[in-house]
Amino acid sequence: MADPLYELLTPYLDKFSSSKPASASADAVTNKYLERLHTLSLSSLTSQEPQSLAQSSHSTLLSIQSLSSRSNAAIIASADHFAHLEDVLPHLAEEASRLRTEIPKLDERAATFSTTYSRSTENEVLDRRKRALLMERNADRLSDILDLPNLLSSAIASSAAQGASSTASYAAALDLFSHIKRLHLLYADSPLITSIYAQTESAMHDLTSHLIAALKSQSIKLASGMRTVGWLRRVAPELDTGANGTGSREGLLGYLFLLCRLSTLVTTLSALEPLKHLANQETDIRLRKPARPTTSKASNGSAWHGGQQSERYLKRYIEIFREQSFAIISTYKSIFPSAADAQTAEDFKLPFKSAGLKSLPTLTNQTSQKEKAEDMPSALSTFSPYLADLLFDTLQEYLPNVLDKTSKESLFTQVLYCAGSLGRLGGDFSLMLPMLSSGLTEESDECENEDESWVDVMKKHRELAGRLEALASGVGPSKGADRGGSVRVKS
């Protein structure tokens, strides 16, 4: 029914619209309105429907006005864009065509980038970037490693300022050096670690110098000496090898220790230079005289006083020598016990050589140089005769100045005590003492007097030693006195 009614009303609709009206079936709103008209009566069509249409028209007009008011800006913008749409669409089509042309190139570049910077292949840029990232992540560790030389230098400076008693500073410095050495072994190809290791080696040379200087200190004790030698073994392990490089006995550290203590002994004895100067004056006076006086009394108008200054110098010299030499050898034997055991087998040979006597059989010609190097004596076996020679040189130079028999016997007794003191440590040089009196005088009668004096001193010393041994063993005084002349005690 909608289509016939629509065709009936079409002539009337042409008056209000210039466009050709569409079919009712094509317009859902028109079709719905026509269906509604079929349901109305004639009176409703003539009276109510016009009012309803007017109200609907007015309501639609208000809605359109409200919409236009709200969407004015958007409508104007849309109109502007629509006006330029004819220019934009060709440009868009051109850019789309260009994009379609460039996409294969982009795909090719992406494939090339993916192949070049793949993790499965080696690339310098990626390696440099990885190293940079690794350095950034380990910046704190690198900073700590770079601070190691400064920390080591600070620890060494602190230990040098505090002296040999600074065990904590020395231990900290050695621990730091051990850590740097391990890093150098693990990362030997790293220039940074190599540079740090070179700096620490220079610092460890300073530490070695400080430790060697500590061995020369006047007040070094057994505990501090053992600690210092132990630190030297860690700082310079090459010093812990033998003279032939075999690492036997005490190594070069034993020689170094004895040299340092000998330097200290010489320095201590050099404090007697004022007394030595006076003794030298007495020596010059004695040598200028045509003949030596037979008594200890001063001659008329002469500066010769019987060797009192020489006696003072020798007494003080022997006292210092006995104390220092005993301390050196006892400390050495405590620090290097293996060297002390090896030295006992050589105690017989070197003192006889120093005395000019026949020594033990020498090596045969067939002995190789290597065997000779391995059979080199220990440092202590050569050090003890050197100390004896040092003492004997001083005695032979200044003892002839002492003319008083009592003073000379007192010096002889002091020398015997010194020999006995060293004899407790295996350095007895009492067999060399009878040779001392043979070179003190030039005239034969005085030589005989000197020999008699020396024999008397030896007898008194042995008698006293026998009595002391007898008292120590609980034997009566008479028995001890009887065997006093034949008993020889190293005390």
Side-chain angles (χ1 to χ4, degrees), residues 162-209:
Q162 297 177 12
S165 60
S166 175
T167 58
S169 298
Y170 280 120
L174 292 174
D175 291 339
L176 283 173
F177 179 67
S178 299
H179 179 64
I180 296 172
K181 201 171 183 179
R182 284 196 299 270
L183 289 177
H184 184 254
L185 292 175
L186 292 174
Y187 309 102
D189 298 334
S190 174
L192 175 63
I193 299 299
T194 303
S195 174
I196 291 175
Y197 183 72
Q199 297 179 32
T200 55
E201 278 191 330
S202 176
M204 293 311 290
H205 289 324
D206 297 338
L207 178 59
T208 305
S209 301

Side-chain angles (χ1 to χ4, degrees), residues 120-423:
S120 60
T121 59
E122 295 183 359
N123 186 274
E124 183 180 357
V125 177
L126 288 180
D127 293 340
R128 187 166 60 249
R129 185 177 299 174
K130 289 178 182 178
R131 288 195 297 268
L133 292 175
L134 182 62
M135 184 177 296
E136 182 182 1
R137 287 195 301 269
N138 296 277
D140 295 337
R141 295 181 180 178
L142 291 175
S143 178
D144 294 339
I145 292 175
L146 291 173
D147 289 338
L148 287 177
N150 293 332
L151 291 175
L152 182 61
S153 300
S154 300
I156 293 174
S158 176
S159 60
Q162 297 177 12
S165 60
S166 175
T167 58
S169 298
Y170 280 120
L174 292 174
D175 291 339
L176 283 173
F177 179 67
S178 299
H179 179 64
I180 296 172
K181 201 171 183 179
R182 284 196 299 270
L183 289 177
H184 184 254
L185 292 175
L186 292 174
Y187 309 102
D189 298 334
S190 174
L192 175 63
I193 299 299
T194 303
S195 174
I196 291 175
Y197 183 72
Q199 297 179 32
T200 55
E201 278 191 330
S202 176
M204 293 311 290
H205 289 324
D206 297 338
L207 178 59
T208 305
S209 301
H210 295 325
L211 292 175
I212 294 175
L215 289 179
K216 297 181 180 180
S217 61
Q218 295 284 347
S219 60
I220 189 171
K221 303 297 182 182
L222 176 59
S224 59
M226 295 182 72
R227 284 196 303 267
T228 305
V229 171
W231 290 329
L232 278 172
R233 283 194 173 103
R234 293 180 59 184
V235 174
E238 64 275 6
L239 294 179
D240 204 20
T241 58
N244 54 351
T246 59
S248 60
R249 297 179 181 174
E250 75 277 15
L252 296 179
L253 277 177
Y255 293 90
L256 178 63
F257 178 82
L258 292 179
L259 286 176
C260 292
R261 299 315 300 163
L262 178 63
S263 174
T264 304
L265 173 61
V266 173
T267 303
T268 305
L269 293 175
S270 64
L272 302 177
E273 283 297 327
L275 292 177
K276 184 178 180 180
H277 179 68
L278 297 175
N280 288 331
Q281 292 180 357
E282 292 183 347
T283 302
D284 295 339
I285 295 175
R286 175 177 60 84
L287 295 177
R288 285 197 303 266
K289 284 185 172 295
R292 292 183 56 182
T294 58
T295 63
S296 60
K297 295 182 180 180
S299 58
N300 296 330
S302 175
W304 180 262
H305 299 291
Q308 288 86 352
Q309 301 299 332
S310 299
E311 179 190 1
R312 290 177 56 195
Y313 172 67
L314 288 177
K315 281 187 176 181
R316 187 61 181 149
Y317 185 95
I318 297 172
E319 179 183 358
I320 295 175
F321 179 86
R322 181 182 61 82
E323 294 176 355
Q324 294 292 328
S325 59
F326 182 84
I328 291 172
I329 298 178
S330 61
T331 304
Y332 177 87
K333 286 193 170 185
S334 300
I335 296 177
F336 305 99
S338 59
D341 296 338
Q343 188 261 347
T344 55
E346 300 169 355
D347 283 339
F348 302 98
K349 181 163 58 175
L350 292 174
F352 280 92
K353 287 184 178 181
S354 299
L357 302 177
K358 185 177 180 180
S359 62
L360 294 179
T362 58
L363 297 173
T364 61
N365 296 331
Q366 290 78 13
T367 306
S368 63
Q369 294 296 329
K370 181 177 180 181
E371 292 175 349
K372 291 181 180 179
E374 292 178 352
D375 292 338
M376 286 181 62
S378 64
L380 187 58
S381 62
T382 57
F383 183 72
S384 299
Y386 179 80
L387 289 179
D389 291 340
L390 184 66
L391 177 61
F392 272 60
D393 291 342
T394 304
L395 290 175
Q396 290 176 354
E397 183 177 359
Y398 297 104
L399 193 59
N401 297 339
V402 182
L403 302 179
D404 184 65
K405 181 178 180 181
T406 304
S407 300
K408 187 170 293 188
E409 289 180 355
S410 176
L411 291 175
F412 284 156
T413 304
Q414 195 175 359
V415 173
L416 284 174
Y417 278 115
C418 181
S421 178
L422 291 181

